[in-house]
Amino acid sequence: MKQINLTNSIFYVGVNDRHTDLFENHIELPNGVSYNSYLIVDEKVALIDPVEANFLEEYLFKVKSALQGRKVDYLVINHDEPDHSSTVAAVIREWPEVQVVGNAKTFGPLEAFYGPIGNKKVVAEGETLGLGQHTLQFFMVPMVHWPESMVAYEQTSGIVFSNDAFGGFGALNGGIFDDQVNLAFYEDDMRRYYANIVGKVAMQALKAIEKLGGLEIKMIAPSHGLVWRSNPAWVIGKYTQWSKHEGEEGVVIVYGSMHGNTARMAEIVARGAAEAGIKEVKVYDVAKTEVSFIMSDLWKYKGVILGACAHYANMFPDMTLLVHEINEFKPKNKCYGLFGGMSWSGGGVKTLAKYAEEGQWNLVADSVEVKGAPIREEDWDRLYNLGKAVAAAVKG
Ligand code: FEO
């Protein structure tokens, strides 16, 4: 079998998941996802981050093909989350003498998930593990994505095995490396991954990037998505931009509407934003578009305008998850505006305003609440001006 080489002795042994509908059972995967794993074959053999349990048979076939009869000496666990670790017990069964390598925080959760692990090797910040010609050095990157997260840097090749950091959604369609694909196809799914997985810990991600800045990085090999061998600076730049909350010029308008009136209002708001010179205006019906896609665009652009009709003196139910995610992930440097229809009770805009107050959103215009449909001239003006005001704040 032809191997996928990062170098002559470092192999890609990951798998594609095109079956799972929802990542972590709540984030849609229209383009699938990859679980990447790597094998270093030297005097000692190290397997870095296994894969999700449903792919065990395919995974072991790939690892054994690359091993050509050798056995695995070390199994490096950079991160305990089951999308990577749920084959740990199977790997140990296959090579019972394998030493499982983790840090002081790794083994508590790992053993809680899979039972006792007999042969453990605990590594600390900066500690090295010699394999022969290759040497792995470990750096802790807590909360990217869990407290125990670390990365392994191979000193001879300059490859960082970065686990979740610098990862992305999207199965690898034949091209494994950044120079083998159209990056535009992967960028949106990378940002969606960032915004919904890593974005909540943007500060820690930034610290991790700064920490790794001292290394001579020739290649970044994450546990999801492309391997960055030609231009690792590109993905470092994107992650830095997102972690610094450097939004682009654009306005995301998201509405929840039962009978189409708040939807009509969204069209007027969008008109105002576009007429004020914003070329990137994105309009989403929160009942039609899964929240992870909205969060991704919300992370990308500076302007956010949310609209909700009333629903029993509260707001349109599907909007609740979005505003919860906004206040949970706290994307910064945004210019917000609010609008919505009163129905018979009012309450949509009031509830949005409550969330805005709790989340300390930067409201840059008066909120607009409309009775019934936006058929009166003054309501049309207020909605149009809301779009214009948010656009002006974005540009300003
Ligand atoms: Fe890909 Fe946080 O696991």
Side-chain angles (χ1 to χ4, degrees):
M1 192 175 90
K2 188 158 171 24
Q3 304 302 332
I4 300 170
N5 294 69
L6 275 66
T7 70
N8 285 340
S9 45
I10 303 180
F11 304 96
Y12 176 90
V13 287
V15 297
N16 275 324
D17 181 352
R18 301 179 195 274
H19 305 299
T20 301
D21 292 323
L22 298 173
F23 191 76
E24 296 180 350
N25 209 23
H26 70 113
I27 300 170
E28 285 183 9
L29 287 174
N31 302 313
V33 66
S34 70
Y35 309 114
N36 300 345
S37 176
Y38 305 91
L39 188 71
I40 304 176
V41 179
D42 200 331
E43 287 166 30
K44 295 287 185 183
V45 170
L47 187 56
I48 299 176
D49 289 318
V51 302
E52 209 272 335
N54 286 323
F55 298 86
L56 178 63
E57 187 181 341
E58 179 185 352
Y59 178 57
L60 288 180
F61 175 79
K62 286 185 172 184
V63 174
K64 287 178 185 174
S65 298
L67 280 172
Q68 298 186 315
R70 301 274 308 270
K71 64 183 176 59
V72 176
D73 298 293
Y74 299 110
L75 173 62
V76 175
I77 301 294
N78 282 320
H79 177 26
D80 283 340
E81 195 167 8
D83 53 328
H84 310 288
S85 69
S86 51
T87 38
V88 164
V91 170
I92 295 171
R93 275 197 300 277
E94 199 69 36
W95 296 283
E97 290 164 20
V98 69
Q99 270 200 300
V100 180
V101 181
N103 60 66
K105 292 181 182 164
T106 304
F107 292 102
L110 204 62
E111 293 186 319
F113 281 133
Y114 311 113
I117 292 181
N119 206 355
K120 292 180 271 211
K121 180 170 180 56
V122 178
V123 293
E125 173 75 18
E127 194 171 330
T128 58
L129 175 66
L131 305 174
Q133 306 234 320
H134 299 82
T135 300
L136 287 172
Q137 189 172 18
F138 301 95
F139 297 95
M140 307 303 131
V141 290
M143 295 314 297
V144 188
H145 161 220
W146 280 8
E148 82 298 344
S149 292
M150 65 178 187
V151 302
Y153 173 67
E154 201 293 296
Q155 294 178 338
T156 313
S157 58
I159 299 174
V160 179
F161 300 98
S162 62
N163 200 270
D164 278 354
F166 307 114
F169 291 134
L172 299 174
N173 298 327
I176 305 291
F177 300 96
D178 55 341
D179 51 85
Q180 295 180 321
V181 303
N182 178 359
L183 278 187
F185 175 78
Y186 284 97
E187 182 176 345
D188 278 351
D189 250 358
M190 271 185 58
R191 193 183 56 257
R192 194 166 65 90
Y193 171 87
Y194 179 92
N196 292 279
I197 304 285
V198 187
K200 182 170 167 56
V201 289
M203 186 55 77
Q204 286 89 337
L206 207 52
K207 279 188 189 153
I209 292 167
E210 283 164 7
K211 179 184 276 194
L212 299 178
L215 304 172
E216 193 192 348
I217 296 175
K218 294 190 179 142
M219 207 182 299
I220 296 177
S223 288
H224 301 290
L226 296 167
V227 177
W228 302 88
R229 75 173 169 192
S230 292
N231 194 4
W234 188 90
V235 71
I236 292 172
K238 288 290 173 193
Y239 259 66
T240 304
Q241 178 193 342
W242 298 331
S243 298
K244 287 183 172 174
H245 300 267
E246 291 174 352
E248 299 173 22
E249 184 175 298
V251 174
V252 186
I253 298 166
V254 192
Y255 67 87
S257 181
M258 285 196 293
H259 301 294
N261 293 312
T262 300
R264 285 170 68 179
M265 295 173 207
E267 302 294 346
I268 301 166
V269 174
R271 219 28 227 139
E275 291 260 283
I278 299 288
K279 291 207 164 82
E280 296 282 333
V281 178
K282 302 290 179 86
V283 179
Y284 292 109
D285 178 343
V286 75
K288 294 264 167 43
T289 305
E290 191 255 326
V291 160
S292 72
F293 294 90
I294 298 170
M295 285 298 289
S296 178
D297 261 0
L298 203 144
W299 212 281
K300 180 175 183 180
Y301 297 112
K302 284 184 190 160
V304 184
I305 309 179
L306 303 180
C309 67
H311 181 262
Y312 287 108
N314 207 311
M315 70 177 171
F316 186 76
D318 290 21
M319 187 60 77
T320 307
L321 176 59
L322 176 64
V323 294
H324 167 81
E325 292 294 88
I326 291 172
N327 281 358
E328 183 77 8
F329 278 70
K330 296 186 173 38
K332 294 189 176 68
N333 305 330
K334 304 296 169 194
C335 306
Y336 283 96
L338 308 176
F339 69 98
M342 285 185 73
S343 188
W344 48 265
S345 59
V349 174
K350 198 169 107 193
T351 311
L352 275 176
K354 198 171 69 157
Y355 277 98
E357 195 179 330
E358 281 169 15
Q360 299 181 315
W361 302 354
N362 176 32
L363 289 176
V364 298
D366 290 339
S367 302
V368 179
E369 191 168 37
V370 173
K371 275 188 185 162
I375 52 176
R376 285 162 291 276
E377 189 74 21
E378 65 268 25
D379 288 335
W380 196 98
D381 285 346
R382 288 196 299 150
L383 291 161
Y384 182 84
N385 288 334
L386 171 65
K388 268 181 77 175
V390 173
V394 165
K395 280 182 160 289

Coordinates of all heavy atoms in Angstrom, one line a residue, residues 35-74:
Y35 N -10.2 12.7 11.1 CA -9.5 12.5 12.4 C -8.1 12.1 12.0 O -7.9 11.0 11.5 CB -10.2 11.3 13.2 CG -11.7 11.5 13.3 CD1 -12.6 10.6 12.8 CD2 -12.2 12.6 14.1 CE1 -13.9 10.8 12.9 CE2 -13.6 12.8 14.2 CZ -14.4 11.9 13.6 OH -15.8 12.0 13.7
N36 N -7.2 13.0 12.2 CA -5.8 12.8 11.7 C -5.0 12.1 12.8 O -5.1 12.4 14.0 CB -5.1 14.1 11.3 CG -5.9 14.9 10.2 OD1 -6.7 14.3 9.6 ND2 -5.5 16.1 10.1
S37 N -4.1 11.2 12.3 CA -3.2 10.5 13.2 C -1.9 10.4 12.5 O -1.9 10.4 11.2 CB -3.8 9.2 13.6 OG -2.8 8.5 14.4
Y38 N -0.8 10.3 13.2 CA 0.5 10.3 12.6 C 1.4 9.2 13.2 O 1.3 8.9 14.4 CB 1.2 11.7 12.7 CG 0.3 12.8 12.2 CD1 -0.6 13.5 13.0 CD2 0.4 13.1 10.8 CE1 -1.4 14.5 12.5 CE2 -0.5 14.2 10.3 CZ -1.3 14.8 11.2 OH -2.2 15.8 10.7
L39 N 2.3 8.7 12.4 CA 3.2 7.6 12.9 C 4.6 8.0 12.6 O 5.0 8.3 11.4 CB 2.8 6.3 12.1 CG 3.5 5.1 12.6 CD1 2.9 4.6 14.0 CD2 3.3 3.9 11.6
I40 N 5.5 8.0 13.6 CA 6.9 8.2 13.4 C 7.6 6.9 13.6 O 7.5 6.2 14.6 CB 7.5 9.2 14.4 CG1 6.7 10.5 14.4 CG2 8.9 9.5 14.2 CD1 7.1 11.5 15.4
V41 N 8.3 6.4 12.5 CA 9.0 5.1 12.6 C 10.5 5.4 12.6 O 11.1 5.9 11.7 CB 8.6 4.3 11.3 CG1 9.4 3.0 11.4 CG2 7.1 4.1 11.2
D42 N 11.1 5.0 13.8 CA 12.5 5.3 14.1 C 13.0 4.1 14.8 O 12.3 3.0 14.8 CB 12.6 6.6 14.8 CG 14.0 7.2 14.8 OD1 15.0 6.5 14.6 OD2 14.1 8.5 14.9
E43 N 14.1 4.2 15.6 CA 14.5 3.1 16.5 C 13.3 2.8 17.4 O 13.0 1.6 17.7 CB 15.7 3.5 17.3 CG 17.0 3.6 16.5 CD 18.1 4.3 17.3 OE1 18.1 4.3 18.5 OE2 18.9 4.9 16.6
K44 N 12.6 3.8 17.9 CA 11.3 3.6 18.6 C 10.2 4.1 17.7 O 10.4 5.0 16.9 CB 11.3 4.3 19.9 CG 12.3 3.8 20.9 CD 11.9 2.5 21.5 CE 12.8 2.1 22.6 NZ 12.4 0.8 23.2
V45 N 9.0 3.5 17.8 CA 7.9 4.0 17.0 C 6.9 4.7 17.9 O 6.5 4.2 18.9 CB 7.2 2.7 16.4 CG1 5.9 3.1 15.7 CG2 8.1 2.1 15.4
A46 N 6.5 5.9 17.4 CA 5.5 6.7 18.1 C 4.3 6.9 17.3 O 4.4 7.3 16.1 CB 6.1 8.0 18.5
L47 N 3.1 6.6 17.9 CA 1.8 6.9 17.2 C 1.2 8.1 17.9 O 1.2 8.1 19.1 CB 0.9 5.7 17.4 CG -0.4 5.6 16.7 CD1 -0.2 5.8 15.2 CD2 -1.1 4.3 17.0
I48 N 0.9 9.1 17.1 CA 0.5 10.4 17.7 C -1.0 10.6 17.5 O -1.5 10.7 16.3 CB 1.3 11.5 17.1 CG1 2.7 11.3 17.5 CG2 0.8 12.9 17.7 CD1 3.7 12.3 16.9
D49 N -1.8 10.6 18.6 CA -3.2 10.9 18.6 C -4.0 9.9 17.7 O -4.0 10.0 16.5 CB -3.6 12.3 18.2 CG -3.2 13.3 19.2 OD1 -3.4 13.0 20.4 OD2 -2.6 14.3 18.9
P50 N -4.6 8.9 18.3 CA -5.4 8.0 17.5 C -6.7 8.6 17.0 O -6.8 9.9 16.9 CB -5.7 6.8 18.5 CG -5.6 7.4 19.9 CD -4.7 8.6 19.7
V51 N -7.7 7.8 16.6 CA -8.9 8.4 15.9 C -10.2 7.9 16.6 O -10.1 7.3 17.6 CB -8.9 7.9 14.4 CG1 -7.6 8.3 13.7 CG2 -9.1 6.4 14.3
E52 N -11.3 8.3 16.0 CA -12.6 8.0 16.6 C -12.9 6.5 16.5 O -12.6 5.9 15.4 CB -13.6 8.9 15.9 CG -14.8 9.2 16.7 CD -15.9 8.2 16.6 OE1 -16.0 7.5 15.6 OE2 -16.7 8.1 17.6
A53 N -13.6 6.0 17.5 CA -13.7 4.5 17.6 C -14.4 3.9 16.4 O -14.1 2.7 16.1 CB -14.4 4.2 18.9
N54 N -15.3 4.5 15.7 CA -16.1 3.9 14.6 C -15.1 3.6 13.4 O -15.6 2.9 12.5 CB -17.2 4.9 14.1 CG -18.3 4.9 15.1 OD1 -18.7 3.9 15.7 ND2 -18.9 6.1 15.3
F55 N -13.9 4.1 13.5 CA -13.0 3.9 12.3 C -11.8 3.0 12.7 O -10.8 3.0 12.0 CB -12.5 5.3 11.8 CG -13.7 6.1 11.3 CD1 -14.4 6.9 12.2 CD2 -14.1 6.0 10.0 CE1 -15.5 7.6 11.8 CE2 -15.1 6.7 9.6 CZ -15.9 7.5 10.5
L56 N -12.0 2.2 13.8 CA -10.9 1.4 14.3 C -10.3 0.5 13.3 O -9.1 0.4 13.1 CB -11.4 0.6 15.5 CG -10.4 -0.3 16.1 CD1 -9.2 0.5 16.7 CD2 -11.0 -1.2 17.2
E57 N -11.2 -0.3 12.5 CA -10.6 -1.3 11.6 C -9.8 -0.6 10.5 O -8.7 -1.1 10.2 CB -11.8 -2.1 11.0 CG -11.3 -3.2 10.2 CD -12.5 -4.0 9.5 OE1 -13.6 -3.9 10.0 OE2 -12.2 -4.7 8.5
E58 N -10.3 0.4 9.9 CA -9.6 1.1 8.9 C -8.3 1.7 9.4 O -7.2 1.7 8.8 CB -10.5 2.3 8.3 CG -9.8 3.1 7.2 CD -10.7 4.2 6.8 OE1 -11.8 4.3 7.2 OE2 -10.1 5.1 6.0
Y59 N -8.4 2.2 10.7 CA -7.2 2.9 11.3 C -6.1 1.9 11.5 O -5.0 2.1 11.2 CB -7.7 3.5 12.6 CG -6.6 4.2 13.4 CD1 -5.8 5.2 12.8 CD2 -6.3 3.8 14.7 CE1 -4.8 5.8 13.5 CE2 -5.3 4.4 15.4 CZ -4.5 5.4 14.8 OH -3.5 6.0 15.6
L60 N -6.5 0.8 12.2 CA -5.4 -0.3 12.5 C -4.8 -0.8 11.2 O -3.6 -1.1 11.1 CB -6.0 -1.4 13.3 CG -6.4 -1.0 14.7 CD1 -6.9 -2.2 15.5 CD2 -5.1 -0.5 15.5
F61 N -5.6 -0.9 10.1 CA -5.1 -1.4 8.8 C -4.0 -0.4 8.3 O -2.9 -0.8 7.9 CB -6.2 -1.5 7.8 CG -5.7 -1.9 6.4 CD1 -5.4 -3.2 6.1 CD2 -5.6 -0.9 5.5 CE1 -4.9 -3.5 4.8 CE2 -5.1 -1.2 4.2 CZ -4.8 -2.5 3.9
K62 N -4.3 0.9 8.4 CA -3.4 1.9 8.0 C -2.1 1.9 8.8 O -1.0 2.0 8.3 CB -4.0 3.3 8.0 CG -5.0 3.5 6.9 CD -5.5 4.9 6.9 CE -6.4 5.2 5.7 NZ -6.8 6.6 5.7
V63 N -2.3 1.8 10.1 CA -1.1 1.9 11.0 C -0.2 0.7 10.7 O 1.0 0.8 10.6 CB -1.5 2.0 12.5 CG1 -0.3 1.9 13.4 CG2 -2.3 3.3 12.7
K64 N -0.8 -0.5 10.7 CA -0.1 -1.8 10.5 C 0.6 -1.7 9.1 O 1.8 -2.3 9.0 CB -1.0 -3.0 10.6 CG -1.4 -3.2 12.0 CD -2.3 -4.4 12.1 CE -2.8 -4.7 13.5 NZ -3.8 -5.7 13.6
S65 N 0.0 -1.2 8.1 CA 0.6 -1.1 6.8 C 1.9 -0.3 6.8 O 2.9 -0.6 6.2 CB -0.3 -0.5 5.8 OG -1.5 -1.3 5.6
A66 N 1.8 0.8 7.5 CA 3.0 1.7 7.7 C 4.1 1.1 8.5 O 5.3 1.3 8.3 CB 2.6 3.1 8.2
L67 N 3.6 0.3 9.5 CA 4.6 -0.3 10.5 C 5.4 -1.4 9.9 O 6.6 -1.7 10.3 CB 3.8 -0.9 11.7 CG 3.4 0.1 12.8 CD1 2.5 -0.6 13.8 CD2 4.6 0.7 13.5
Q68 N 4.9 -2.1 8.9 CA 5.5 -3.2 8.2 C 6.1 -4.2 9.3 O 7.3 -4.6 9.2 CB 6.6 -2.7 7.3 CG 6.0 -1.9 6.2 CD 7.1 -1.5 5.1 OE1 8.2 -1.1 5.4 NE2 6.7 -1.6 3.9
G69 N 5.3 -4.6 10.2 CA 5.7 -5.6 11.1 C 6.3 -5.1 12.4 O 6.5 -5.9 13.4
R70 N 6.6 -3.8 12.5 CA 7.1 -3.2 13.7 C 6.0 -3.1 14.7 O 4.8 -3.2 14.4 CB 7.7 -1.8 13.5 CG 8.9 -1.8 12.5 CD 10.2 -2.1 13.1 NE 10.5 -1.2 14.2 CZ 11.1 0.0 14.2 NH1 11.5 0.5 13.0 NH2 11.4 0.6 15.3
K71 N 6.3 -2.8 15.9 CA 5.3 -2.5 16.9 C 5.3 -1.1 17.4 O 6.3 -0.4 17.2 CB 5.4 -3.5 18.1 CG 6.7 -3.3 18.9 CD 6.7 -4.3 20.0 CE 8.0 -4.3 20.8 NZ 8.3 -3.0 21.5
V72 N 4.2 -0.6 18.0 CA 4.2 0.7 18.5 C 4.8 0.8 19.9 O 4.4 0.0 20.8 CB 2.7 1.3 18.5 CG1 2.7 2.7 19.1 CG2 2.1 1.2 17.1
D73 N 5.8 1.7 20.1 CA 6.4 1.8 21.4 C 5.7 2.9 22.2 O 5.5 2.7 23.5 CB 7.9 2.2 21.3 CG 8.6 1.1 20.5 OD1 8.8 0.0 21.1 OD2 9.0 1.3 19.4
Y74 N 5.3 4.0 21.6 CA 4.7 5.1 22.3 C 3.4 5.5 21.7 O 3.3 5.6 20.4 CB 5.6 6.3 22.4 CG 6.9 6.1 23.1 CD1 8.1 6.1 22.3 CD2 7.0 5.9 24.4 CE1 9.3 5.9 23.0 CE2 8.2 5.7 25.1 CZ 9.4 5.7 24.3 OH 10.6 5.5 25.0

